Amino acid sequence: LIYPREYLAEEHVKKFYLDIRKVAKKYLHTRLPPKSRIYLWDYSDGDITKVRDNYFEFKGNVKAVLYILSSDDDPLYFEFKRILQDVPCQMTTKDLVLRKYDLPSDKMHLYFNSVLNLVCGLLGKMGVRPWLLSEELKGDLYVGVDTRPGKVATFTLIDNVGDYIGEARRPVRGSKVERDIMRDTIIQLIMENLRIIPRDRPIHLIVHRDGDVYPDEEQGLEEAISSLRQRKLEVSLTLVSIRESTPYRIFKCDDSNLAPCPPGVFVKLSRHMGLLASAGWPLIKQGLARPLLLEVIRNDRPDYDLQDIVREIYYLSFLHWEGIVKKLKMPITIKYADEYAVFAEKEIDIIGPPL
């Protein structure tokens, strides 16, 4: 545990870790090491030289790091990420540690809810899966694609129970993923994960693209399928564009008033396009949620229709492991790709999902 000593005493941090252990055991049935096996390293005034020296000296003994910052926008966030990129690490702030001492007893659940979120994120990076889907999805592999225009394209790979498998990053010149980059990255993701794909039938690959799908990207996917076929791997493709910013709203009329719809409502616009309210009432108390606009660009599987596609995107929006007390709008295919882009843009590698 790394902490700023100008804000926290060592005793604060020790008690905080005991709460983390208690929550991990109670809700995730995971036993974290006793506090006697925890390194406590402090820093002050933004000087993390001692922390860096300690980490590289004892690196072989460190299995994960939780570092505490002064605030959410502390500039040390990325500096720690760069130093600790070889080990699972999770960030929190002094405010969470001290919150326990400010809340009345009848509000203490708010503190422990936040600790549970933190624990899910930390353990998720360490390889624990706080939850997965109870039934397999229809596809075999799900790839999320996102771009930071002119900077980086990020790819995430999810299996058919919602488990995070891995990621890749590639530089881009504009908003689109170049044909050769799309081809080579998809081939790499599949070839590096042959152990989780079926070998007795064609692989069903579902690609979720954040925003517009460009012709070069579709061509790159086609070339990837052709190349994999030469390696005796048959692939059927479903390619879906998911747009978060749309002019549409879905609502219900209640006594002449407009009210937000519940999450999971779907409106079919055509055979290949629809709207999904992945968030709604009671999660949204005021205003009307912007639905996702989903468009099927290509679908090689007649047994995998628009309703299947929408249902699975909705299911995948429940699998962000640091969001146990909140509901995300985007599926994790794209949400993780978007969060990974924050680090990929700065050429920082990470261990585990970007929680």
Side-chain angles (χ1 to χ4, degrees):
L1 274 74
I2 301 170
Y3 66 97
R5 69 170 179 264
E6 62 261 49
Y7 298 107
L8 299 172
E10 183 176 306
E11 195 62 26
H12 285 133
V13 180
K14 288 180 178 178
K15 290 180 179 178
F16 183 58
Y17 180 68
L18 291 178
D19 288 339
I20 289 173
R21 285 194 77 214
K22 179 168 65 176
V23 167
K25 181 181 178 182
K26 179 177 180 179
Y27 294 103
L28 299 173
H29 309 291
T30 301
R31 292 182 179 273
L32 290 173
K35 64 180 181 179
S36 60
R37 294 178 56 191
I38 301 300
Y39 293 120
L40 294 176
W41 296 333
D42 62 68
Y43 66 95
S44 64
D45 299 324
D47 183 3
I48 60 173
T49 303
K50 187 175 73 171
V51 171
R52 182 189 293 107
D53 293 344
N54 283 337
Y55 173 67
F56 286 113
E57 180 179 354
F58 299 102
K59 186 176 179 180
N61 298 328
V62 176
K63 304 304 179 185
V65 175
L66 175 64
Y67 62 99
I68 303 170
L69 300 178
S70 62
S71 64
D72 287 325
D73 57 356
D74 193 321
L76 289 177
Y77 175 78
F78 286 110
E79 192 168 348
F80 274 125
K81 283 290 185 183
R82 195 176 299 280
I83 294 170
L84 304 169
Q85 59 184 317
D86 296 327
V87 67
C89 62
Q90 188 74 357
M91 179 275 289
T92 189
T93 68
K94 63 173 176 52
D95 295 335
L96 176 57
V97 180
L98 297 175
R99 193 178 191 189
K100 182 178 183 179
Y101 304 96
D102 297 331
L103 288 172
S105 57
D106 62 335
K107 298 291 184 180
M108 195 58 64
H109 65 280
L110 299 175
Y111 164 75
F112 281 104
N113 283 347
S114 297
V115 173
L116 179 56
N117 261 358
L118 177 68
V119 169
C120 286
L122 177 62
L123 294 183
K125 291 176 180 177
M126 296 175 69
V128 175
R129 297 305 183 237
W131 65 89
L132 295 169
L133 297 174
S134 60
E135 297 181 2
E136 292 183 354
L137 302 175
K138 284 193 168 185
D140 296 307
L141 297 176
Y142 294 75
V143 174
V145 182
D146 188 28
T147 57
R148 295 284 176 102
K151 296 179 180 178
V152 68
T154 49
F155 303 76
T156 53
L157 182 65
I158 309 295
D159 73 6
N160 61 1
V161 292
D163 195 0
Y164 184 88
I165 305 303
E167 69 286 320
R169 69 172 190 241
R170 299 290 185 270
V172 292
R173 291 193 291 267
S175 297
K176 71 177 180 180
V177 181
E178 298 292 341
R179 174 182 52 82
D180 58 334
I181 292 177
M182 179 66 81
R183 177 196 64 219
D184 295 345
T185 307
I186 293 298
I187 291 173
Q188 175 192 331
L189 288 172
I190 291 178
M191 295 304 296
E192 288 181 350
N193 293 282
L194 291 176
R195 57 183 172 76
I196 65 170
I197 63 176
R199 303 304 295 270
D200 58 343
R201 59 175 174 80
I203 304 163
H204 187 190
L205 173 67
I206 292 97
V207 177
H208 294 160
R209 174 64 161 100
D210 187 10
D212 295 328
V213 175
Y214 293 89
D216 270 12
E217 296 174 349
E218 193 172 357
Q219 182 62 35
L221 288 166
E222 179 58 41
E223 291 182 7
I225 292 172
S226 298
S227 178
L228 290 166
R229 185 176 297 120
Q230 295 174 7
R231 307 177 195 211
K232 309 300 182 184
L233 291 172
E234 291 292 332
V235 178
S236 59
L237 173 67
T238 300
L239 174 59
V240 185
S241 165
I242 303 179
R243 299 182 184 91
E244 186 172 17
S245 298
T246 72
Y248 298 98
R249 299 291 184 275
I250 304 176
F251 55 87
K252 65 178 181 178
C253 290
D254 185 11
D255 296 330
S256 300
N257 294 319
L258 301 185
C261 66
V265 172
F266 168 60
V267 176
K268 185 176 181 179
L269 301 179
S270 71
R271 288 180 56 204
H272 304 290
M273 187 176 293
L275 300 171
L276 170 64
S278 55
W281 184 89
L283 302 173
I284 295 177
K285 304 295 186 183
Q286 296 180 335
L288 303 177
R290 294 174 180 263
L292 301 176
L293 177 62
L294 312 177
E295 182 180 4
V296 182
I297 306 301
R298 171 175 168 174
N299 186 17
D300 298 339
R301 296 287 294 265
D303 60 336
Y304 188 66
D305 59 20
L306 180 61
Q307 189 169 344
D308 293 322
I309 292 169
V310 172
R311 182 187 300 113
E312 293 191 345
I313 288 172
Y314 182 56
Y315 289 168
L316 289 169
S317 71
F318 283 91
L319 285 165
H320 193 276
W321 293 314
E322 201 186 8
I324 195 166
V325 295
K326 60 184 178 182
K327 168 70 175 64
L328 294 182
K329 182 177 179 180
M330 297 293 274
I332 55 166
T333 43
I334 288 178
K335 181 63 176 176
Y336 283 153
D338 179 62
E339 293 185 347
Y340 175 50
V342 174
F343 307 107
E345 188 178 338
K346 297 179 181 295
E347 298 185 346
I348 298 175
D349 291 322
I350 58 173
I351 300 293
L355 296 165

Short mmCIF file of all heavy atoms in Angstrom, two decimals, residues 283-308:
data_model
loop_
_atom_site.label_atom_id
_atom_site.label_comp_id
_atom_site.label_asym_id
_atom_site.label_seq_id
_atom_site.Cartn_x
_atom_site.Cartn_y
_atom_site.Cartn_z
N LEU A 283 -32.56 3.70 -12.25
CA LEU A 283 -31.18 4.15 -12.16
C LEU A 283 -31.05 5.62 -12.54
O LEU A 283 -30.19 6.32 -12.04
CB LEU A 283 -30.30 3.30 -13.08
CG LEU A 283 -30.32 1.79 -12.78
CD1 LEU A 283 -29.55 1.03 -13.83
CD2 LEU A 283 -29.75 1.51 -11.40
N ILE A 284 -31.91 6.06 -13.44
CA ILE A 284 -31.96 7.48 -13.81
C ILE A 284 -33.24 8.07 -13.23
O ILE A 284 -34.34 7.63 -13.57
CB ILE A 284 -31.93 7.64 -15.35
CG1 ILE A 284 -30.58 7.15 -15.88
CG2 ILE A 284 -32.17 9.09 -15.75
CD1 ILE A 284 -30.49 7.20 -17.39
N LYS A 285 -33.09 9.02 -12.35
CA LYS A 285 -34.24 9.60 -11.66
C LYS A 285 -34.84 10.76 -12.43
O LYS A 285 -36.05 11.00 -12.37
CB LYS A 285 -33.82 10.09 -10.27
CG LYS A 285 -33.17 9.04 -9.39
CD LYS A 285 -34.12 7.93 -9.03
CE LYS A 285 -33.47 6.97 -8.04
NZ LYS A 285 -34.34 5.82 -7.71
N GLN A 286 -33.99 11.50 -13.15
CA GLN A 286 -34.46 12.69 -13.86
C GLN A 286 -33.97 12.65 -15.30
O GLN A 286 -32.92 12.10 -15.61
CB GLN A 286 -33.94 13.95 -13.19
CG GLN A 286 -34.48 14.16 -11.77
CD GLN A 286 -33.93 15.44 -11.17
OE1 GLN A 286 -32.87 15.92 -11.53
NE2 GLN A 286 -34.67 16.00 -10.22
N GLY A 287 -34.75 13.27 -16.18
CA GLY A 287 -34.36 13.33 -17.58
C GLY A 287 -34.58 12.00 -18.29
O GLY A 287 -35.03 11.01 -17.71
N LEU A 288 -34.26 11.98 -19.57
CA LEU A 288 -34.44 10.80 -20.41
C LEU A 288 -33.07 10.33 -20.89
O LEU A 288 -32.28 11.11 -21.41
CB LEU A 288 -35.33 11.12 -21.62
CG LEU A 288 -36.73 11.67 -21.29
CD1 LEU A 288 -37.47 12.02 -22.57
CD2 LEU A 288 -37.53 10.67 -20.48
N ALA A 289 -32.80 9.06 -20.71
CA ALA A 289 -31.51 8.51 -21.11
C ALA A 289 -31.38 8.51 -22.63
O ALA A 289 -32.36 8.31 -23.35
CB ALA A 289 -31.36 7.09 -20.58
N ARG A 290 -30.18 8.75 -23.10
CA ARG A 290 -29.90 8.63 -24.53
C ARG A 290 -29.69 7.15 -24.85
O ARG A 290 -28.76 6.54 -24.33
CB ARG A 290 -28.64 9.41 -24.91
CG ARG A 290 -28.76 10.92 -24.76
CD ARG A 290 -27.41 11.57 -25.03
NE ARG A 290 -27.46 13.02 -24.89
CZ ARG A 290 -27.61 13.86 -25.91
NH1 ARG A 290 -27.71 13.38 -27.14
NH2 ARG A 290 -27.65 15.17 -25.71
N PRO A 291 -30.49 6.57 -25.71
CA PRO A 291 -30.29 5.16 -26.04
C PRO A 291 -29.09 4.99 -26.97
O PRO A 291 -28.64 5.93 -27.63
CB PRO A 291 -31.59 4.78 -26.76
CG PRO A 291 -32.05 6.07 -27.38
CD PRO A 291 -31.65 7.15 -26.41
N LEU A 292 -28.56 3.78 -27.01
CA LEU A 292 -27.52 3.44 -27.97
C LEU A 292 -28.18 3.17 -29.33
O LEU A 292 -29.23 2.54 -29.41
CB LEU A 292 -26.77 2.19 -27.51
CG LEU A 292 -26.07 2.26 -26.16
CD1 LEU A 292 -25.46 0.89 -25.83
CD2 LEU A 292 -25.01 3.34 -26.15
N LEU A 293 -27.53 3.64 -30.37
CA LEU A 293 -27.97 3.35 -31.73
C LEU A 293 -27.12 2.20 -32.26
O LEU A 293 -25.89 2.34 -32.38
CB LEU A 293 -27.84 4.58 -32.63
CG LEU A 293 -28.21 4.37 -34.11
CD1 LEU A 293 -29.67 3.96 -34.25
CD2 LEU A 293 -27.94 5.64 -34.92
N LEU A 294 -27.74 1.07 -32.54
CA LEU A 294 -27.03 -0.13 -32.97
C LEU A 294 -27.33 -0.40 -34.44
O LEU A 294 -28.50 -0.40 -34.85
CB LEU A 294 -27.48 -1.34 -32.13
CG LEU A 294 -27.51 -1.12 -30.60
CD1 LEU A 294 -28.04 -2.36 -29.91
CD2 LEU A 294 -26.13 -0.76 -30.09
N GLU A 295 -26.29 -0.63 -35.22
CA GLU A 295 -26.47 -0.93 -36.63
C GLU A 295 -25.61 -2.15 -36.99
O GLU A 295 -24.40 -2.17 -36.75
CB GLU A 295 -26.06 0.25 -37.51
CG GLU A 295 -26.26 -0.01 -38.99
CD GLU A 295 -25.86 1.16 -39.86
OE1 GLU A 295 -25.35 2.17 -39.32
OE2 GLU A 295 -26.05 1.08 -41.09
N VAL A 296 -26.26 -3.16 -37.57
CA VAL A 296 -25.56 -4.36 -38.00
C VAL A 296 -24.99 -4.10 -39.39
O VAL A 296 -25.72 -3.94 -40.36
CB VAL A 296 -26.49 -5.58 -38.01
CG1 VAL A 296 -25.72 -6.83 -38.42
CG2 VAL A 296 -27.14 -5.77 -36.65
N ILE A 297 -23.67 -4.03 -39.48
CA ILE A 297 -23.00 -3.75 -40.75
C ILE A 297 -22.83 -5.03 -41.57
O ILE A 297 -22.98 -5.03 -42.80
CB ILE A 297 -21.62 -3.12 -40.49
CG1 ILE A 297 -21.76 -1.88 -39.58
CG2 ILE A 297 -20.94 -2.75 -41.81
CD1 ILE A 297 -22.64 -0.80 -40.13
N ARG A 298 -22.55 -6.13 -40.87
CA ARG A 298 -22.40 -7.42 -41.55
C ARG A 298 -22.75 -8.52 -40.57
O ARG A 298 -22.42 -8.45 -39.39
CB ARG A 298 -20.96 -7.60 -42.03
CG ARG A 298 -20.63 -9.00 -42.55
CD ARG A 298 -19.25 -9.09 -43.13
NE ARG A 298 -18.83 -10.47 -43.36
CZ ARG A 298 -17.70 -10.83 -43.96
NH1 ARG A 298 -16.87 -9.89 -44.41
NH2 ARG A 298 -17.40 -12.10 -44.12
N ASN A 299 -23.42 -9.54 -41.08
CA ASN A 299 -23.78 -10.68 -40.24
C ASN A 299 -23.79 -11.94 -41.08
O ASN A 299 -24.65 -12.12 -41.95
CB ASN A 299 -25.14 -10.47 -39.57
CG ASN A 299 -25.47 -11.56 -38.58
OD1 ASN A 299 -24.60 -12.30 -38.14
ND2 ASN A 299 -26.75 -11.68 -38.24
N ASP A 300 -22.82 -12.80 -40.84
CA ASP A 300 -22.70 -14.05 -41.60
C ASP A 300 -23.55 -15.17 -41.02
O ASP A 300 -23.59 -16.27 -41.60
CB ASP A 300 -21.24 -14.53 -41.61
CG ASP A 300 -20.29 -13.55 -42.29
OD1 ASP A 300 -20.78 -12.73 -43.09
OD2 ASP A 300 -19.08 -13.62 -42.02
N ARG A 301 -24.22 -14.91 -39.90
CA ARG A 301 -24.95 -15.98 -39.21
C ARG A 301 -26.45 -15.71 -39.23
O ARG A 301 -26.94 -14.86 -38.48
CB ARG A 301 -24.45 -16.10 -37.76
CG ARG A 301 -23.00 -16.52 -37.62
CD ARG A 301 -22.83 -17.98 -37.95
NE ARG A 301 -23.52 -18.82 -36.99
CZ ARG A 301 -22.93 -19.35 -35.92
NH1 ARG A 301 -21.63 -19.15 -35.70
NH2 ARG A 301 -23.61 -20.11 -35.10
N PRO A 302 -27.22 -16.42 -40.04
CA PRO A 302 -28.67 -16.22 -40.07
C PRO A 302 -29.35 -16.60 -38.76
O PRO A 302 -30.47 -16.14 -38.49
CB PRO A 302 -29.13 -17.13 -41.22
CG PRO A 302 -28.03 -18.11 -41.43
CD PRO A 302 -26.78 -17.42 -41.04
N ASP A 303 -28.70 -17.43 -37.93
CA ASP A 303 -29.28 -17.82 -36.64
C ASP A 303 -28.94 -16.84 -35.53
O ASP A 303 -29.24 -17.08 -34.36
CB ASP A 303 -28.80 -19.23 -36.25
CG ASP A 303 -27.29 -19.32 -36.12
OD1 ASP A 303 -26.59 -18.49 -36.73
OD2 ASP A 303 -26.81 -20.21 -35.39
N TYR A 304 -28.32 -15.73 -35.90
CA TYR A 304 -27.93 -14.69 -34.93
C TYR A 304 -28.54 -13.38 -35.42
O TYR A 304 -27.97 -12.65 -36.20
CB TYR A 304 -26.41 -14.61 -34.87
CG TYR A 304 -25.84 -13.72 -33.78
CD1 TYR A 304 -26.00 -14.02 -32.43
CD2 TYR A 304 -25.10 -12.58 -34.10
CE1 TYR A 304 -25.45 -13.22 -31.44
CE2 TYR A 304 -24.55 -11.78 -33.13
CZ TYR A 304 -24.73 -12.11 -31.79
OH TYR A 304 -24.18 -11.30 -30.81
N ASP A 305 -29.76 -13.09 -34.96
CA ASP A 305 -30.51 -11.97 -35.52
C ASP A 305 -30.33 -10.70 -34.69
O ASP A 305 -29.59 -10.68 -33.69
CB ASP A 305 -31.99 -12.33 -35.68
CG ASP A 305 -32.65 -12.71 -34.35
OD1 ASP A 305 -32.11 -12.36 -33.27
OD2 ASP A 305 -33.71 -13.36 -34.39
N LEU A 306 -31.02 -9.65 -35.10
CA LEU A 306 -30.89 -8.36 -34.43
C LEU A 306 -31.26 -8.45 -32.95
O LEU A 306 -30.61 -7.84 -32.10
CB LEU A 306 -31.77 -7.31 -35.14
CG LEU A 306 -31.74 -5.90 -34.56
CD1 LEU A 306 -30.34 -5.30 -34.62
CD2 LEU A 306 -32.74 -5.00 -35.30
N GLN A 307 -32.28 -9.21 -32.63
CA GLN A 307 -32.69 -9.35 -31.23
C GLN A 307 -31.59 -10.01 -30.40
O GLN A 307 -31.33 -9.60 -29.26
CB GLN A 307 -33.98 -10.15 -31.13
CG GLN A 307 -34.58 -10.15 -29.73
CD GLN A 307 -35.99 -10.72 -29.71
OE1 GLN A 307 -36.62 -10.84 -30.74
NE2 GLN A 307 -36.47 -11.06 -28.54
N ASP A 308 -30.92 -11.02 -30.96
CA ASP A 308 -29.80 -11.65 -30.26
C ASP A 308 -28.67 -10.65 -30.03
O ASP A 308 -28.07 -10.60 -28.96
CB ASP A 308 -29.25 -12.83 -31.07
CG ASP A 308 -30.24 -13.98 -31.17
OD1 ASP A 308 -30.93 -14.25 -30.18
OD2 ASP A 308 -30.31 -14.59 -32.25
#
